[in-house]
Amino acid sequence: MKGQIQVIGCKSCTEIPQLIDMNKLIEKASTMDLVVSTVLVGAVCDSKSIKQVVQEAKEREVDRVVVLACPKKVVNPALLAAFKKAKVNEFLVEYVNIRDEVVLPHMDDPPRAQAKAETMMVAALQKVMGLKPLETLKEQMRTRNVVVLGGGASGRKAAETAAKTGAHTIIIEKGTKSFKAPGVLMQNSVLLKSKGYGGNFVLTIRAGEKVEELQCAAIVVATGGGWTRLNGPLAKACKSALPLYELDEQIRAGKKMEGPIVIVDSPDPAGKSMQVRDYAWDESLELAIELKRRSTDSDITIVFQEMRAFGLSELRYKEAAELGVRFIRYDATGIPKIDPKEPNVVSVKDLAQGETIRLRFGTLAFASIPANDDNEGIADTLRIPMSPDGGIRHGSIQRGPVSTPRPGIFICGSALFPKTKDIAEEEGMVAGELAGEFASKGIIEYGGSVAEVTQEKCSACLTCIRTCPYEAPFIGIANKAEIRTQACQGCGMCVGICPSKAIELRNCTDDIIMQETKTMLRGDF
Amino acid sequence: MTPRRPKIVGFCCERHGLDSPVAAAKSGITYDASVRIIDVPCTGRVDGLHILKALEDGADAVFVLGCLEKNCYYDTGSIEGRKRVEHVRSMLEEAGIEKERVEMFNTSSTMTWRFPEIVSKMCDVVNRLGPLGKEGDEQ
Ligand code: SF4
Ligand code: SF4
């Protein structure tokens, strides 16, 4: 590569002309080595300007570009596309965020701002010469399958919406739940292993007695909360106690529950044996009101330490009290207890009256929502992170709403943290749609600024394999590390940690970083 | 003669790290121009070498700015970054250089005040400790 640089200045990004003298900056650029073209445009995002700069770039046979404007994320992508057409490699276009890093924050000190902008430009010119043209590659997705783990409320919705985008959906359901699924429903199935990366995953599933491999483009985790797990002393003392969601289901199915009904917050009020992640207070109140409406003489008591209903649900608290639902608040000095000899009486110290009362009940339910026990296994198999309270954790918010840190894996519903059915369904819809869209791309684009191993230097210490969150590095046939480029996200974590300095991140080498630092430090501002 | 201005290098990740000065700029907060932003894809890319070299090349203080640890774009990136920074700090201490000159910070793209706060904190450190090393040969 010859190195023929074009420098573009954007007037509207550096909108305060009396602060930064863009003309001077561009003039300075034109005196620099290898700069063959300098353009100052009104607004670089404007299609006329784009035409103008690219035209000029073609005439002067430009192969590298420095854009003095705003952040790369903000600049009109049409600029990059136009350069691509003009045969300028997109990885050789360097953006300098003059607007947010100089003009706006240093408006009270113009001379220093000018010097800083100039130094940044010089550093960018040096940097752009160190860059190599890179390619992005494409791999076909082998299938358009979207696998949904879990056939609960969120999972079903996810499968439905994914199917609408044209994906072929497969629901992996642990139990024997049977319902109309848009694609395939595999009952009695669990996920055993996973391989691959977003677009081309290979899952190992045990379905009944059989173990089979399943290819898919995207995965939706919809494993829900752990309603079935009831530990804790109260649940042990009263075998017939059930989680609120089951009680709710049974009542809605028309079953008559034996009164009086007592709803206690947690089966382990002392908080010793289980992690309670949340309480279904909204639902408890709703259910109590519903029962009272059906029959005014139903006897309902809610025993709680702290009640938090969300938003307008707060009003239900009042409504329930007016309808005659009894509320008993306790604290650590008198937690609810059940004597196993008398399994239908709970005794608790009522904070309002200061004395211990005995509540005889026909039905006992718990408003607590424990985490799903399966989460850990699933997170481990798919290599996605857990949150400290036993749920599966979101990816960074910048990756999108129902994302995990791994591209192609989406998550929804109570697997994240407990939530009501409506919200779980909403999330399922979003996750299904995103997974469907992901799968319908049909190709995986990869490459660009990714990691690369110099095998002669590698001592096969496995550090990179342990560090990479995306399972990109692996030990290849030569017994040296290799990078699965399709999975590499270009974060560079393995580069910094490799003890043999055997890995390099393309276009982000140590030399480039240190040279930029040095030039920036040389500037006097 | 005016005292030498502090020179501060900030290695910022391309995600929340670089969004942070943008957020500050959008909300009209100004801060000292001494900071030199060097962009890296993720703070996990930062190597102890980069920090030490920056100090050698004339920086009085260096900070590394990544995503919040629970909200890191590359999941464990900013935790990795912190480890590297801690390593450099312990090396500096052994070499008799104040470890306060090197610091790791986390931020998110909506924390408008965070970047200016970090810059002024690092400026304070330099003002308190003085420029690093070679005062004699620079002036
Ligand atoms: S960390 Fe470096 S030396 Fe170790 S296996 Fe990976 S590439 Fe090889
Ligand atoms: S650059 Fe990041 S994603 Fe790529 S191999 Fe290294 S650690 Fe993994």
Side-chain angles (χ1 to χ4, degrees):
Chain A
M1 275 285 173
K2 310 174 283 219
Q4 309 244 54
I5 312 176
Q6 180 179 44
V7 179
I8 305 170
C10 176
K11 272 197 245 170
S12 80
C13 287
T14 50
E15 61 207 82
I16 315 165
Q18 53 280 44
L19 173 61
I20 286 242
D21 190 341
M22 278 308 272
N23 286 317
K24 208 167 139 199
L25 206 59
I26 289 293
E27 238 166 66
K28 165 89 187 170
S30 61
T31 65
M32 303 283 297
D33 273 354
L34 302 172
V35 175
V36 297
S37 149
T38 51
V39 211
L40 189 57
V41 292
V44 76
C45 291
D46 183 51
S47 56
K48 258 201 232 131
S49 309
I50 293 179
K51 236 193 202 149
Q52 182 198 340
V53 296
V54 176
Q55 185 61 36
E56 162 114 8
K58 270 196 216 152
E59 278 164 20
R60 308 263 171 138
E61 294 182 10
V62 161
D63 59 14
R64 279 148 219 262
V65 183
V66 170
V67 185
L68 308 172
C70 50
K72 184 177 176 184
K73 293 175 205 168
V74 177
V75 178
N76 190 346
L79 179 68
L80 218 49
F83 272 125
K84 226 173 168 177
K85 266 207 200 128
K87 303 252 174 330
V88 178
N89 187 283
E90 59 178 308
F91 294 94
L92 298 182
V93 181
E94 178 68 15
Y95 292 86
V96 183
N97 186 358
I98 293 273
R99 186 186 69 187
D100 300 316
E101 288 175 20
V102 184
V103 178
L104 294 174
H106 308 322
M107 54 175 108
D108 43 11
D109 201 345
R112 284 181 81 187
Q114 183 77 27
K116 187 169 178 176
E118 200 177 302
T119 313
M120 282 167 75
M121 183 184 75
V122 174
L125 285 170
Q126 277 176 352
K127 182 173 174 183
V128 84
M129 281 314 295
L131 301 180
K132 295 201 176 76
L134 302 178
E135 266 182 86
T136 45
L137 303 166
K138 292 188 170 93
E139 181 181 298
Q140 289 287 329
M141 294 188 187
R142 286 189 287 268
T143 67
R144 283 192 68 181
N145 290 351
V146 171
V147 164
V148 179
L149 301 173
S154 56
R156 276 181 234 183
K157 265 278 178 292
E160 271 168 35
T161 35
K164 276 189 201 141
T165 68
H168 179 235
T169 60
I170 300 151
I171 299 180
I172 310 283
E173 166 59 40
K174 169 170 87 160
T176 51
K177 257 185 231 163
S178 141
F179 49 88
K180 206 169 149 281
V184 178
L185 168 64
M186 293 170 75
Q187 291 160 319
N188 287 320
S189 306
V190 281
L191 173 71
L192 296 180
K193 267 191 250 159
S194 88
K195 272 200 311 220
Y197 35 82
N200 280 327
F201 288 108
V202 183
L203 307 180
T204 311
I205 311 277
R206 196 184 63 226
E209 304 290 295
K210 275 195 310 207
V211 172
E212 51 188 277
E213 278 204 343
L214 188 64
Q215 299 208 350
C216 66
I219 301 172
V220 177
V221 181
T223 43
W227 321 127
T228 49
R229 187 180 70 164
L230 280 183
N231 290 326
L234 296 190
K236 278 196 190 108
C238 172
K239 292 280 183 275
S240 64
L242 68 179
L244 188 91
Y245 281 76
E246 254 167 57
L247 177 68
D248 190 83
E249 253 171 44
Q250 296 195 4
I251 287 172
R252 282 180 208 283
K255 193 169 167 207
K256 184 123 181 54
M257 303 310 291
E258 200 179 323
I261 295 176
V262 173
I263 300 172
V264 184
D265 50 4
S266 165
D268 181 14
K272 279 191 188 131
S273 65
M274 67 184 291
Q275 282 177 328
V276 173
R277 295 172 60 205
D278 205 353
Y279 297 97
W281 288 132
D282 293 357
E283 291 79 355
S284 303
L285 293 171
E286 214 168 279
L287 188 68
I289 292 169
E290 172 77 22
L291 286 169
K292 273 286 183 196
R293 286 227 182 95
R294 284 190 195 178
S295 137
T296 40
D297 49 64
S298 20
D299 184 346
I300 303 155
T301 311
I302 297 183
V303 181
F304 64 100
Q305 208 166 155
E306 221 178 309
M307 178 171 302
R308 291 202 193 115
F310 284 112
L312 290 178
S313 305
E314 196 62 40
L315 295 174
R316 302 225 176 93
Y317 185 54
K318 189 164 157 243
E319 190 183 344
E322 280 165 5
L323 283 170
V325 175
R326 190 164 3 142
F327 290 95
I328 296 179
R329 191 165 161 227
Y330 70 90
D331 68 3
T333 60
I335 60 166
K337 286 194 185 89
I338 297 178
D339 184 350
K341 283 188 213 111
E342 224 181 346
N344 60 346
V345 175
V346 54
S347 57
V348 57
K349 192 171 124 197
D350 183 357
L351 268 191
Q353 290 170 19
E355 56 195 47
T356 301
I357 48 174
R358 287 162 46 84
L359 295 163
R360 192 166 290 279
F361 59 83
T363 304
L364 178 68
F366 301 112
S368 57
I369 306 173
N372 190 335
D373 278 339
D374 298 339
N375 283 347
E376 209 173 329
I378 284 178
D380 200 40
T381 315
L382 295 176
R383 277 145 321 238
I384 48 180
M386 300 266 294
S387 58
D389 53 6
I392 291 175
R393 186 152 63 74
H394 257 303
S396 166
I397 205 69
Q398 291 197 347
R399 281 192 187 267
V402 289
S403 64
T404 66
R406 294 193 70 190
I409 305 184
F410 301 88
I411 178 156
C412 57
S414 297
L416 281 161
F417 56 86
K419 47 188 65 110
T420 58
K421 200 170 158 213
D422 320 350
I423 297 177
E425 283 182 342
E426 293 282 336
E427 278 189 5
M429 269 163 62
V430 179
E433 182 150 357
L434 291 178
E437 270 170 16
F438 188 90
S440 65
K441 279 191 288 192
I443 43 165
I444 311 165
E445 274 190 67
Y446 65 99
S449 179
V450 291
E452 208 172 11
V453 180
T454 309
Q455 296 209 329
E456 295 79 61
K457 292 193 199 161
C458 170
S459 52
C461 68
L462 311 184
T463 311
C464 54
I465 297 175
R466 277 197 297 268
T467 308
C468 176
Y470 304 99
E471 300 192 301
F474 63 101
I475 296 291
I477 21 177
N479 271 333
K480 302 277 179 183
E482 282 176 41
I483 308 282
R484 218 176 264 115
T485 318
Q486 292 91 323
C488 178
Q489 299 274 304
C491 64
M493 253 188 270
C494 56
V495 183
I497 209 162
C498 170
S500 314
K501 295 252 165 287
I503 317 179
E504 197 168 83
L505 190 64
R506 290 188 195 149
N507 277 357
C508 186
T509 58
D510 288 338
D511 287 344
I512 291 179
I513 295 177
M514 292 189 303
Q515 179 62 52
E516 191 183 351
T517 317
K518 194 167 178 175
T519 312
M520 287 305 293
L521 281 167
R522 251 195 231 138
D524 184 25
F525 52 87
Chain B
M1 177 183 160
T2 48
R4 184 169 160 273
R5 291 195 191 104
K7 289 191 172 182
I8 294 161
V9 169
F11 292 102
C12 300
C13 81
E14 269 173 13
R15 301 292 162 180
H16 291 277
L18 272 183
D19 283 354
S20 194
V22 174
K26 289 228 170 78
S27 51
I29 311 176
T30 58
Y31 48 86
D32 197 278
S34 324
V35 59
R36 279 112 171 120
I37 297 175
I38 309 291
D39 56 333
V40 285
C42 167
T43 48
R45 171 70 189 92
V46 176
D47 195 322
L49 183 70
H50 306 154
I51 302 175
L52 293 174
K53 196 78 176 53
L55 293 174
E56 190 189 308
D57 286 340
D60 301 309
V62 177
F63 67 88
V64 178
L65 179 62
C67 310
L68 296 176
E69 290 187 1
K70 285 288 161 59
N71 194 23
C72 175
Y73 191 81
Y74 296 110
D75 198 35
T76 47
S78 55
I79 300 176
E80 268 313 315
R82 182 170 293 276
K83 284 191 211 156
R84 312 267 161 85
V85 170
E86 286 309 321
H87 185 64
V88 169
R89 278 162 66 95
S90 63
M91 273 161 68
L92 290 181
E93 212 171 18
E94 273 172 35
I97 299 172
E98 304 87 349
K99 66 174 182 191
E100 291 86 347
R101 292 185 189 272
V102 175
E103 191 114 36
M104 171 84 197
F105 296 98
N106 301 89
T107 184
S108 94
S109 47
T110 49
M111 292 159 77
T112 50
W113 66 94
R114 186 72 169 139
F115 195 79
E117 179 190 273
I118 291 168
V119 173
S120 75
K121 188 167 172 204
M122 293 318 276
C123 284
D124 285 349
V125 167
V126 177
N127 289 338
R128 188 160 44 88
L129 301 177
L132 180 61
K134 46 182 177 185
E135 291 102 297
D137 42 78
E138 274 252 327
Q139 278 148 24

